[in-house]
Amino acid sequence: MEDGQKTTILTIPPEVTVNILEYLLADHTPSKSPYANLLPVTQTSTHLRQTALSAPALWSKIEINDKPASFNFAKLCLSRSGNHKLDISIRVLKKMEAKIKGLLALLQYVSPRTRSLSMKLSFTGVGQWEVWWDSLEALDYRALEALNFEVWHREVGTAGTMALSNAIPLPDQTSPLRSLSLVHASLQLSDSPVLSNLTILKLSSASFWDWPYFDLFEVLRNSTALEELELRGVGLRECRRSYSASQLPAVPRLEHPNLRRLSLIAVENNMLARVLTSLTAPNLETVSLDTPDELKNDVELVWDDLPQVAPFSTVRSLFVTNRPSSISPHQDQYAHFLAKMFPGVEELELPVARCGSMFMAWAEHVQIAINPWKDLRSVVLNYPDGFGSKKTGFSSAGEAPPWRMQ
């Protein structure tokens, strides 16, 4: 560029301008429209506006919610998106009966070029769900890479969720689907061909724990390419299957050579124990564990009675958020179990209410010549009252962890 020559928005190549504008789409909070930052900028000059209107990639995010204006804006974005692959988000929790036909017509129209589909829906009555289910099964999923589906199913005059009569229909094995997240929904075992391609699987529900153990573990067993797995209990209040450690049901071994992150959140004790003692994951790096507080009928698991299995030596980050009463009266055994299962931990996070008993249990390990977590570099204590977290004890290698301090 010659001396004195100025660079303005008019001299920047259009493709570079579009790339800059794409950052505005990515930089938004979940509570705001992805266009909240883009639209004001395009109004600053005619050149920017025309450049944006001629770029289909900038209009490929389609969001529909309970506000009537969202439908009109979605149509506008579709008209500008050309043949670009789409990211569809539908969040409709009110008056589904008046919107269901329009939503299904939209999905049928855009499904061949839908790259990601996120739906959070509330149904009133079985009939609405059955209509939706039949239509989902007939969609063209040829471009779908990510599916997130959260369903609330209520009868008129009642509160809460109900178990669905049908499992979520998934694409066939020719689909590029790699990420699947389901809340208050289940899967069919016949979906195993597509499960084998998933790299991310997240299952969240209260009712999904009513699956037979074998069915749930068959889904996990068939998801052989997983890099991230999350099982989360949502609204779980009662454990319907209470086993002692010696009575845990036989389930298939889970072989996951690519698994890097495992999260077992708000699950009952025997489910947490069953997954950890059935899993082989030689590249696992991060583990998050949590059991719900005051879960009715949950077993007081005797952790020392669990079968001996190979430890997860590759895990470096362990986040434990179990409540005190959820593993009582065997808190010391649970602490010993963690130390044996995850011997290579470098980063440890604990709830402040749990740390005292955990530290005492690990101090006992030191006294009996067991050296838990010799590579530990930091301990973080979490406060459940919203005040955030605080590091304590030490933060670098070479310092004594709290359970070895005199």
Side-chain angles (χ1 to χ4, degrees):
M1 184 177 294
E2 297 180 1
D3 293 340
Q5 184 176 352
K6 294 182 178 180
T7 300
T8 69
I9 193 64
L10 297 176
T11 61
I12 298 176
E15 61 272 17
V16 176
T17 302
V18 171
N19 288 338
I20 295 172
L21 294 177
E22 284 179 337
Y23 281 104
L24 296 176
L25 282 178
D27 185 22
H28 78 285
T29 60
S31 60
K32 292 183 178 181
S33 165
Y35 298 98
N37 296 326
L38 175 66
L39 292 178
V41 171
T42 60
Q43 301 303 313
T44 58
S45 77
T46 301
H47 177 74
L48 274 177
R49 175 175 171 80
Q50 294 302 320
T51 301
L53 289 177
S54 62
L58 294 178
W59 308 100
S60 61
K61 298 183 182 297
I62 312 299
E63 290 199 348
I64 294 177
N65 53 47
D66 286 311
K67 298 179 180 179
S70 68
F71 285 83
N72 295 328
F73 189 70
K75 293 178 182 178
L76 183 62
C77 291
L78 280 174
S79 67
R80 296 173 176 175
S81 63
N83 294 319
H84 202 275
K85 289 184 178 180
L86 301 171
D87 300 313
I88 308 291
S89 174
I90 300 174
R91 187 180 186 277
V92 176
L93 305 177
K94 301 176 182 178
K95 299 180 180 180
M96 174 60 80
E97 66 279 2
K99 303 170 184 175
I100 189 167
K101 289 185 178 180
L103 291 173
L104 290 174
L106 170 69
L107 285 177
Q108 186 174 16
Y109 175 70
V110 301
S111 64
R113 58 189 181 103
T114 297
R115 175 175 50 200
S116 69
L117 177 59
S118 178
M119 296 180 287
K120 184 175 182 179
L121 307 170
S122 178
F123 297 97
T124 54
V126 176
Q128 288 182 7
W129 165 247
E130 289 180 345
V131 170
W132 191 271
W133 190 90
D134 290 341
S135 299
L136 281 184
E137 200 170 28
L139 292 181
D140 182 346
Y141 292 107
R142 73 183 73 173
L144 190 64
E145 300 175 10
L147 174 62
N148 302 308
F149 190 24
E150 179 175 350
V151 56
W152 294 84
H153 188 197
R154 298 181 178 90
E155 292 291 349
V156 177
T158 66
T161 62
M162 298 174 58
L164 299 178
S165 58
N166 295 309
I168 298 298
L170 293 182
D172 59 30
Q173 63 259 43
T174 62
S175 165
L177 187 68
R178 295 295 180 267
S179 176
L180 176 64
S181 176
L182 300 179
V183 180
H184 300 307
S186 60
L187 286 167
Q188 297 172 333
L189 293 182
S190 59
D191 289 323
S192 57
V194 71
L195 292 176
S196 65
N197 296 325
L198 294 177
T199 58
I200 298 175
L201 176 60
K202 299 181 180 181
L203 301 175
S204 306
S205 186
S207 61
F208 116 82
W209 298 110
D210 289 333
W211 283 359
Y213 259 96
F214 183 80
D215 288 359
L216 173 59
F217 274 77
E218 273 295 294
V219 168
L220 300 182
R221 185 180 71 86
N222 284 303
S223 306
T224 53
L226 288 182
E227 298 175 10
E228 180 177 353
L229 171 62
E230 178 181 298
L231 301 179
R232 181 183 295 268
V234 178
L236 197 61
R237 293 292 179 265
E238 180 177 357
C239 179
R240 294 176 174 82
R241 298 182 306 273
S242 188
Y243 303 107
S244 67
S246 61
Q247 296 174 326
L248 289 176
V251 295
R253 290 292 305 174
L254 306 177
E255 305 287 343
H256 291 290
N258 301 321
L259 192 65
R260 298 291 191 276
R261 175 180 288 273
L262 172 67
S263 299
L264 304 174
I265 307 300
V267 303
E268 65 265 40
N269 283 321
N270 51 61
M271 171 61 75
L272 186 150
R274 206 62 188 118
V275 172
L276 291 179
T277 57
S278 301
L279 176 65
T280 300
N283 294 298
L284 190 62
E285 298 172 353
T286 302
V287 174
S288 298
L289 303 176
D290 172 60
T291 54
D293 197 12
E294 300 178 355
L295 179 60
K296 185 179 179 182
N297 295 333
D298 197 11
V299 65
E300 293 178 350
L301 199 66
V302 182
W303 297 90
D304 283 354
D305 290 346
L306 291 175
Q308 295 294 317
V309 296
F312 297 97
S313 301
T314 57
V315 171
R316 295 296 177 260
S317 299
L318 177 62
F319 306 104
V320 182
T321 53
N322 303 85
R323 285 75 166 180
S325 63
S326 64
I327 53 176
S328 178
H330 305 294
Q331 301 175 30
D332 57 340
Q333 293 186 16
Y334 182 64
H336 298 170
F337 172 78
L338 295 178
K340 288 186 294 184
M341 291 296 290
F342 309 106
V345 167
E346 298 178 1
E347 179 186 9
L348 176 65
E349 185 171 309
L350 295 170
V352 67
R354 294 286 311 125
C355 64
S357 59
M358 290 278 193
F359 291 167
M360 291 179 63
W362 291 323
E364 177 185 290
H365 268 230
V366 174
Q367 293 171 7
I368 60 177
I370 297 176
N371 186 13
W373 299 325
K374 62 182 185 300
D375 297 322
L376 195 63
R377 299 176 183 276
S378 68
V379 173
V380 176
L381 299 186
N382 273 335
Y383 293 79
D385 55 6
F387 288 103
S389 61
K390 179 182 179 181
K391 286 189 177 183
T392 187
F394 66 102
S395 59
S396 63
E399 298 182 39
W403 53 90
R404 286 192 231 130
M405 292 180 177
Q406 299 298 324

